[in-house]
């Protein structure tokens, strides 16, 4: 193992131990391939599975994993009208398994997410029976201020580019604390405790994934 891989594993062990105090369950996957195997183990045929927007899950070919497992996948983009969009998002809140990544995770074990429409963080907080957070170790930060800073510097600008949004950061690469029409920094949610035992599971991956 390289020094970086060893360091990631040590840090992950600390974060996961702190998450236990917050009633989260968690596991460590040293590689993306190992993370895929952990995800596959959670996918039972017949389960209704949904996900929030996530570059990390895309890098892991998440949709293909769900379909190959024989699950009922809720495609959050399969709408043509505003009413169909509302219906799909309503189904998502009732899914058996909801997957997402995190914009940042503190060493103390807090999940930090900033959302535009809020549908992703809404499902993290309430609705789906079980929630699985998959995050690369590049998302781990010292504390809450550094987590928010990470999101402004490393997550929001490339996500706005990915989503083709007309925001200042999509042009300059730097957060302008904007109130533009396409702003994705509308809802900040810090998940500091899991109230329902067994509901939120976190997979930390010893690679850099997502933004």
């Amino acid at each position: 193992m390289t020094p970086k891989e060893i360091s990631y594993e040590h840090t992950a062990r600390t974060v996961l131990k702190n998450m236990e105090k917050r009633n989260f369950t968690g596991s460590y996957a040293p590689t993306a391939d190992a993370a895929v195997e952990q995800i596959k183990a959670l996918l039972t045929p017949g389960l209704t599975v949904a996900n929030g927007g996530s570059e990390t899950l895309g890098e892991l070919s998440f949709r293909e994993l769900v379909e190959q497992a024989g699950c009922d996948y809720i495609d959050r983009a399969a709408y043509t009208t505003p009413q169909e969009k509302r219906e799909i998002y309503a189904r998502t809140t009732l899914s058996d398994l909801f997957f997402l990544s995190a914009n940042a995770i503190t060493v103390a074990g807090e999940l930090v997410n900033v959302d535009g429409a809020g549908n992703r963080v809404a499902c993290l907080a309430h609705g789906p029976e079980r929630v699985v957070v998959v995050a690369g170790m590049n998302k781990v930060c010292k504390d809450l201020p550094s987590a928010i800073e990470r999101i402004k510097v490393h997550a929001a600008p490339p996500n706005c580019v990915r989503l083709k949004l007309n925001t200042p950061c999509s042009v300059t690469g730097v957060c302008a604390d904007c109130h533009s029409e396409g702003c994705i920094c509308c809802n900040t949610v810090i998940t500091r405790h899991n109230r329902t035992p067994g509901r939120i599971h976190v997979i930390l991956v010893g690679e850099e994934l997502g933004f």
Side-chain angles (χ1 to χ4, degrees):
M1 295 175 67
T2 67
K4 186 175 184 179
E5 291 169 341
I6 294 171
S7 180
Y8 271 166
E9 187 168 340
H10 289 338
T11 303
R13 190 179 302 121
T14 299
V15 174
L16 293 173
K17 185 175 180 179
N18 289 333
M19 284 183 169
E20 288 180 10
K21 303 172 186 176
R22 301 176 181 277
N23 216 23
F24 299 115
T25 61
S27 57
Y28 181 66
T31 65
D33 288 342
V36 166
E37 293 305 312
Q38 291 193 26
I39 291 171
K40 287 166 66 175
L42 297 171
L43 299 174
T44 304
L47 286 180
T48 300
V49 179
N51 64 275
S54 170
E55 186 72 9
T56 294
L57 294 179
E59 291 174 7
L60 298 177
S61 300
F62 174 74
R63 177 169 181 167
E64 288 82 354
L65 296 178
V66 175
E67 293 175 342
Q68 289 169 5
C71 296
D72 177 15
Y73 178 68
I74 301 175
D75 184 353
R76 61 196 297 272
Y79 63 84
T80 56
T81 67
Q83 180 58 33
E84 288 179 348
K85 181 178 180 179
R86 284 175 55 85
E87 291 171 356
I88 289 172
Y89 281 16
R91 285 189 64 209
T92 296
T93 64
L94 298 175
S95 59
D96 298 314
L97 264 175
F98 183 79
F99 285 79
L100 72 159
S101 189
N103 296 128
I105 298 173
T106 68
V107 169
E110 300 147 308
L111 307 177
V112 185
N113 288 283
V114 176
D115 238 18
N119 57 293
R120 178 177 64 107
V121 293
C123 287
L124 170 62
H126 180 75
E129 184 174 355
R130 288 186 292 159
V131 175
V132 180
V133 179
V134 184
M137 288 298 293
N138 54 306
K139 305 288 187 73
V140 175
C141 300
K142 177 183 176 181
D143 51 25
L144 287 174
S146 61
I148 297 298
E149 184 69 13
R150 182 197 183 280
I151 293 169
K152 289 183 177 182
V153 174
H154 298 293
N159 267 312
C160 284
V161 173
R162 174 176 67 90
L163 297 170
K164 296 180 173 60
L165 298 175
N166 185 24
T167 61
C169 71
S170 70
V171 177
T172 66
V174 179
C175 176
D177 195 25
C178 76
H179 295 280
S180 64
E181 183 178 350
C183 177
I184 63 171
C185 299
C186 303
N187 304 279
T188 300
V189 173
I190 299 168
T191 310
R192 60 173 296 276
H193 187 81
N194 175 34
R195 189 171 181 176
T196 306
R199 181 173 181 269
I200 299 177
H201 180 79
V202 180
I203 301 175
L204 293 178
V205 187
E207 292 188 17
E208 295 188 5
L209 296 172
F211 302 138

